[in-house]
Amino acid sequence: MLRGKTIIVTGANSGIGKATAAELLRRQGRVIMACRNRERAEKAAQEIQQEAGPEQGELVIKLLDLASLKSVRIFCEEIIKEESRIDILINNAGIYQCPYTKSEDGFEMQFAVNHLGHFLLTNLLLDLLKRSAPSRIIVVSSKLYKYGEINFDDLNSEQSYDKAFAYARSKLANLLFTLELSHRLEETGVTVNALTPGIVRTNLGRHVHIPLLLKPLFNLASRAFFKSPEEGAQTSIYLACSEDVEGVQGKCFANCLEEQLLAKATDEEVAKKLWDISEVMVGITT
């Protein structure tokens, strides 16, 4: 049970994030839904509260647009001002294979939301997480990281853009971020671990074009072979709640078990370089 614990879940209004928030609320946690759209968040909150049952915790909605560094800073300022502690931060929100667009800060959208927004969010909340120790940071990546590469000469995809590659790169960045952050958190009482949820039926693929005639077949196949959001959320919930991972640092999990990563996701030198460049991109110095 999570009574007395405060948890932030980004992207908690749909998919895995919504299922995660519902279960953590059921376990009597104080769950902060960090969402971009208030109307959708309020609708989701009603459904989450219905799912969570009678003896649930407290549910709070806070606006957060990860495509806007200004929004991230405002969100963190409010959290630091209003919250005495943060026990668990779940970096769950993501955007998948969208057409080429830039964030308001001028960054390629998938890299901006999936990596840079969460990078800044985590860094700005680190002091509060350290004061709340033992505390946990959970990073939702994807097995598609395997198809990504970190091209430091074109992180913004201005020379070329492939939406699938850009997503894979942002998910590889999540794992490299987890790796470097784990070193920086040694002896602080704060742990960070990543996870890959598998193929889940969510609205994440809304930008993927499926021919009209194939949609019924795709929907049938997705129900047969894809995980439900509740199934996809199990590893996030495990990393948030389980005593088995107490003190575990810098690992990646799938289906609640430690996952072996490709060498590209455990490259210490690339992880450090990406961290340094990300600091410059989001405008923080250490």
Side-chain angles (χ1 to χ4, degrees):
M1 302 302 284
L2 295 170
R3 190 182 294 109
K5 304 279 189 185
T6 297
I7 308 110
I8 295 174
V9 184
T10 68
N13 62 290
S14 65
I16 294 172
K18 182 182 175 187
T20 301
E23 177 58 23
L24 300 180
L25 187 68
R26 188 189 70 78
R27 296 185 186 218
Q28 300 184 352
R30 183 169 188 272
V31 179
I32 298 174
M33 298 174 63
C35 302
R36 183 168 55 91
N37 182 288
R38 180 172 291 280
E39 186 178 342
R40 286 201 292 266
E42 288 174 348
K43 182 176 183 295
Q46 291 179 346
E47 295 167 354
I48 287 169
Q49 287 170 324
Q50 288 173 354
E51 291 171 26
E55 295 184 15
Q56 60 186 248
E58 181 186 358
L59 196 61
V60 179
I61 296 171
K62 299 287 287 184
L63 291 183
L64 170 65
D65 181 359
L66 288 157
S68 163
L69 298 179
K70 179 182 178 183
S71 173
V72 175
R73 291 182 182 279
I74 291 171
F75 173 87
C76 291
E77 286 170 6
E78 291 179 355
I79 290 293
I80 291 165
K81 181 180 177 182
E82 297 170 5
E83 302 296 330
S84 60
R85 60 184 303 110
I86 295 294
D87 298 276
I88 305 164
L89 170 63
I90 304 180
N91 290 341
N92 166 85
I95 188 169
Y96 177 73
Q97 293 196 18
C98 61
Y100 186 78
T101 49
K102 287 186 176 181
S103 69
E104 69 175 42
D105 304 288
F107 303 122
E108 186 275 313
M109 189 61 78
Q110 294 188 86
F111 195 70
V113 172
N114 299 350
H115 172 60
L116 291 175
H118 281 122
F119 178 87
L120 179 59
L121 175 76
T122 306
N123 272 281
L124 293 179
L125 294 178
L126 268 186
D127 284 345
L128 183 54
L129 283 157
K130 289 175 182 177
R131 292 198 301 272
S132 308
S135 53
R136 302 180 182 189
I137 301 167
I138 298 160
V139 179
V140 180
S141 182
S142 165
K143 290 189 190 302
L144 293 176
Y145 85 87
K146 297 173 182 179
Y147 305 102
E149 301 291 340
I150 303 296
N151 178 5
F152 288 109
D153 294 325
D154 191 26
L155 281 178
N156 219 25
S157 300
E158 290 175 332
Q159 296 171 21
S160 66
Y161 181 72
D162 177 280
K163 62 185 182 180
F165 169 80
Y167 179 76
R169 180 181 57 191
S170 73
K171 295 290 104 179
L172 176 57
N174 290 158
L175 296 173
L176 293 167
F177 164 69
T178 301
L179 176 64
E180 177 62 21
L181 181 57
S182 70
H183 298 322
R184 293 168 181 255
L185 291 176
E186 288 176 5
E187 309 301 324
T188 64
V190 185
T191 61
V192 59
N193 291 287
L195 68 108
T196 59
I199 305 175
V200 183
R201 294 193 305 272
T202 72
N203 67 354
L204 193 63
R206 60 190 177 276
H207 295 294
V208 179
H209 175 69
I210 299 165
L212 191 62
L213 290 174
L214 293 180
K215 278 192 175 179
L217 188 62
F218 176 81
N219 290 337
L220 191 65
S222 72
R223 294 200 171 277
F225 299 110
F226 294 6
K227 293 180 180 179
S228 68
E230 289 72 26
E231 291 167 336
Q234 289 309 303
T235 305
S236 294
I237 295 162
Y238 171 76
L239 290 176
C241 302
S242 177
E243 294 180 359
D244 294 346
V245 291
E246 195 169 320
V248 174
Q249 187 73 280
K251 304 298 182 183
C252 185
F253 290 76
N255 297 317
C256 302
L257 296 170
E258 189 177 335
E259 180 180 17
Q260 295 304 309
L261 296 172
L262 298 182
K264 67 170 73 178
T266 59
D267 189 317
E268 307 269 359
E269 188 176 331
V270 173
K272 175 69 167 63
K273 185 174 180 180
L274 179 62
W275 183 284
D276 292 342
I277 290 173
S278 299
E279 282 189 335
V280 174
M281 293 175 85
V282 303
I284 60 175
T285 53
T286 56

